[in-house]
């Protein structure tokens, strides 16, 4: 073990995602199953991708999984090396991943199972810290259950002492050259269930660090279901204060050649009158968000009497309201905009307007809706004197004790 601690760029992560997970039931391999809105593998990678003390990330996949893999890891593409192809066993897959990393000459490597998407920052940090003094380190939990040994018929043969017994978890950390040599030496042997067992067989100094009960492994369909329930319950506690706000705005027509709606310039034989760019859709959406968090209205934050906002692009108003939601630890669940006008026709521009609305608010496209209707030639919109917009917004805020 080198005397000098590894620098972040010299510390690689190897994620083993080549298994088939047959016990998880029918469907895609468990690492590609969606868990509370995100694939298991994506959750696993995100644990490491944002850490400043982690360098290259190497994933090992099953032959033929390339399309599923690239779709799953698209948000992390710039942090990942080209995937390595695994072997018939986990042991062979790890060796393939270590060989793929060898050209980078890392000093340390953390080997992690893709089936453990809940490894927390403290566990990873503990493994890294232990490598300053040991050739290897693994997180583990002391066995709490009474252990029974049974025969082939299921009859209990003995009660096994649980003293000093621990359940091993991942990531398991090692100095790279040592664990690569150990895996190369063990390549022709069977029976190793994790990387620490190979290191022990090779005579390496491996130490335990505290694991986490949250860092459970997904093996069966029931594990997936329980993990989903746990994530949804956690999300409800974190963002269980659900608020709804509404906004309404009207602008009269004036001379012009276009109108601004949802941040989009739409050709028309008239324009809309207003202190800013008169984007009634964004103004209504802004008020809906502000209403949901009880933070005044658009006029309180951007008063029309202030010349600074004359002719201003209204995307600044909606972006500010969205930022106010996030400053409170909240998230925007959806924004729904309904435009009332006879003309211009909204249908041809609807999807582009949705995309622009979502981009300004910083939400997924599926959380933004734009609809349009007429008032059957009734009222000021029916007489084409102006445009009215109604908006609704739902936000989730933390439940504070």
């Amino acid at each position: 073990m080198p005397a000098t601690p590894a620098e972040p760029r010299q510390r690689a992560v190897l994620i083993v995602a080549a298994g088939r997970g047959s016990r998880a039931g029918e469907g895609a391999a468990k690492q590609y199953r969606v868990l509370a809105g995100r694939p298991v593998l994506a959750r696993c990678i995100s644990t490491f991708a944002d850490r400043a003390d982690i360098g290259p990330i190497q994933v090992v996949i099953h032959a033929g999984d390339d399309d599923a893999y690239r779709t799953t890891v698209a948000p992390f593409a710039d942090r990942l090396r080209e995937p390595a192809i695994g072997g018939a066993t986990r042991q062979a897959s790890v060796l393939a991943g270590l060989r793929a990393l060898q050209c980078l000459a890392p000093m340390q490597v953390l080997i992690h199972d893709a089936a453990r998407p809940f490894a927390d920052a403290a566990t990873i940090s503990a493994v890294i810290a232990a490598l300053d003094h040991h050739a290897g380190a693994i997180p583990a939990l002391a066995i709490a259950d009474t252990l029974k040994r049974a025969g082939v018929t299921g009859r209990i043969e003995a009660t096994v002492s649980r003293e000093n017994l621990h359940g091993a978890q991942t990531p398991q950390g090692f100095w790279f050259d040592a664990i690569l040599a150990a895996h190369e030496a063990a390549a022709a042997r069977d029976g190793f269930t994790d990387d620490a067992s190979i290191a022990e067989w090779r005579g390496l100094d491996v130490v335990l660090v505290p694991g986490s009960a949250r860092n459970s492994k997904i093996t069966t369909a029931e594990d997936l279901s329980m993990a989903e329930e746990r994530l949804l319950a956690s999300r409800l506690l974190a963002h269980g204060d659900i608020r709804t706000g509404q906004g309404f705005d009207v602008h009269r027509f004036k001379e012009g050649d276009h109108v601004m709606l949802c941040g989009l310039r739409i050709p028309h034989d008239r324009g809309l009158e207003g202190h800013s760019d008169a984007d009634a859709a964004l103004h209504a959406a802004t008020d809906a968000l502000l209403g949901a968090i009880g933070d005044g209205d658009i006029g309180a934050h951007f008063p029309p009497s202030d010349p600074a906002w004359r002719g201003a692009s209204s995307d600044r108003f909606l972006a500010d309201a969205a930022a106010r939601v996030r400053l409170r630890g909240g998230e925007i669940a959806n924004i729904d905009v309904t435009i009332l006008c006879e003309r211009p026709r909204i249908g041809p521009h609807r999807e582009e307007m949705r995309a622009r609305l979502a981009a300004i608010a910083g939400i997924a496209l599926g959380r933004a809706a734009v609809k349009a209707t007429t008032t059957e030639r009734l009222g000021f919109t029916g007489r084409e004197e102006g445009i009215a917009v109604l908006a609704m917004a739902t936000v989730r805020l933390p439940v504070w004790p």
Side-chain angles (χ1 to χ4, degrees):
M1 183 178 70
T4 304
E7 297 179 6
R9 63 182 177 80
Q10 297 173 316
R11 183 177 299 114
V13 171
L14 172 57
I15 297 175
V16 189
R20 294 294 83 196
S22 57
R23 284 179 288 175
E26 296 181 359
K30 61 189 174 184
Q31 59 268 36
Y32 302 113
R33 301 279 186 93
V34 174
L35 185 58
R38 297 179 69 191
V40 171
L41 179 57
R43 289 184 176 278
C44 181
I45 292 172
S46 67
T47 304
F48 300 95
D50 294 332
R51 291 185 64 110
D53 55 359
I54 294 296
I57 300 175
Q58 177 73 61
V59 182
V60 183
I61 66 174
H62 190 272
D65 280 358
D66 191 73
D67 288 345
Y69 169 76
R70 294 193 187 282
T71 299
T72 297
V73 306
F76 313 100
D78 60 342
R79 281 289 279 123
L80 303 177
R81 291 172 49 75
E82 278 295 303
I85 302 302
T89 64
R90 181 189 182 280
Q91 182 179 334
S93 295
V94 172
L95 180 55
L98 292 173
R99 287 171 174 169
L101 283 168
Q102 191 172 14
C103 63
L104 301 180
M107 292 181 68
Q108 297 176 351
V109 62
L110 304 183
I111 305 173
H112 189 59
D113 291 334
R116 291 186 187 270
F118 303 119
D120 57 43
T123 298
I124 296 170
S125 295
V127 171
I128 290 173
L131 290 179
D132 287 345
H133 308 287
H134 303 274
I138 72 168
L141 288 178
I143 300 297
D145 295 328
T146 297
L147 300 177
K148 302 290 184 179
R149 183 169 56 240
V152 293
T153 64
R155 182 177 179 180
I156 295 174
E157 295 181 345
T159 297
V160 181
S161 173
R162 65 191 179 199
E163 185 177 0
N164 297 325
L165 292 183
H166 295 77
Q169 300 180 335
T170 66
Q172 300 187 353
F174 305 92
W175 287 85
F176 184 83
D177 289 345
I179 194 62
L180 174 59
H183 263 281
E184 293 283 10
R189 294 173 174 263
D190 296 323
F192 296 107
T193 56
D194 71 347
D195 306 294
S197 61
I198 293 176
E200 297 155 27
W201 169 76
R202 189 67 171 175
L204 299 180
D205 167 34
V206 183
V207 67
L208 300 182
V209 301
S212 168
R214 281 182 49 84
N215 188 19
S216 57
K217 185 176 182 180
I218 294 175
T219 302
T220 66
E222 184 180 9
D223 293 336
L224 276 166
S225 178
M226 291 175 63
E228 178 96 12
E229 290 176 5
R230 189 174 77 188
L231 281 170
L232 292 178
S234 175
R235 185 176 186 134
L236 181 61
L237 287 173
H239 293 93
D241 186 0
I242 300 175
R243 312 274 194 89
T244 300
Q246 66 176 3
F248 182 74
D249 196 41
V250 174
H251 284 276
R252 70 173 70 243
F253 282 124
K254 66 171 186 177
E255 290 185 3
D257 60 3
H258 74 278
V259 296
M260 294 296 298
L261 289 171
C262 289
L264 193 66
R265 182 186 175 104
I266 299 175
H268 190 48
D269 56 10
R270 282 179 288 178
L272 289 174
E273 185 177 291
H275 184 68
S276 62
D277 63 2
D279 190 326
L282 292 188
H283 294 177
T286 299
D287 269 348
L289 284 180
L290 293 174
I293 60 174
D295 194 4
D297 60 19
I298 191 171
H301 298 288
F302 305 98
S305 58
D306 188 341
W309 309 118
R310 181 173 297 280
S313 175
S314 296
D315 57 359
R316 299 169 63 180
F317 307 154
L318 182 59
D320 180 83
R324 291 172 182 272
V325 173
R326 296 183 179 105
L327 281 173
R328 288 162 170 76
E331 58 183 27
I332 301 169
N334 83 301
I335 300 176
D336 184 3
V337 170
T338 301
I339 301 169
L340 289 78
C341 65
E342 299 291 334
R343 292 187 308 129
R345 291 185 60 217
I346 301 302
H349 310 283
R350 186 195 316 275
E351 291 308 308
E352 192 174 356
M353 292 167 71
R354 281 184 67 214
R356 184 72 181 127
L357 177 67
I360 296 168
I363 59 178
L365 180 61
R367 297 186 181 277
V370 174
K371 308 189 299 293
T373 187
T374 70
T375 55
E376 300 295 336
R377 294 289 177 180
L378 299 175
F380 73 92
T381 59
R383 295 189 297 270
E384 298 191 42
E385 295 173 5
I387 289 178
V389 180
L390 174 67
M392 302 287 287
T394 302
V395 304
R396 301 188 185 100
L397 296 177
V399 179
W400 301 114

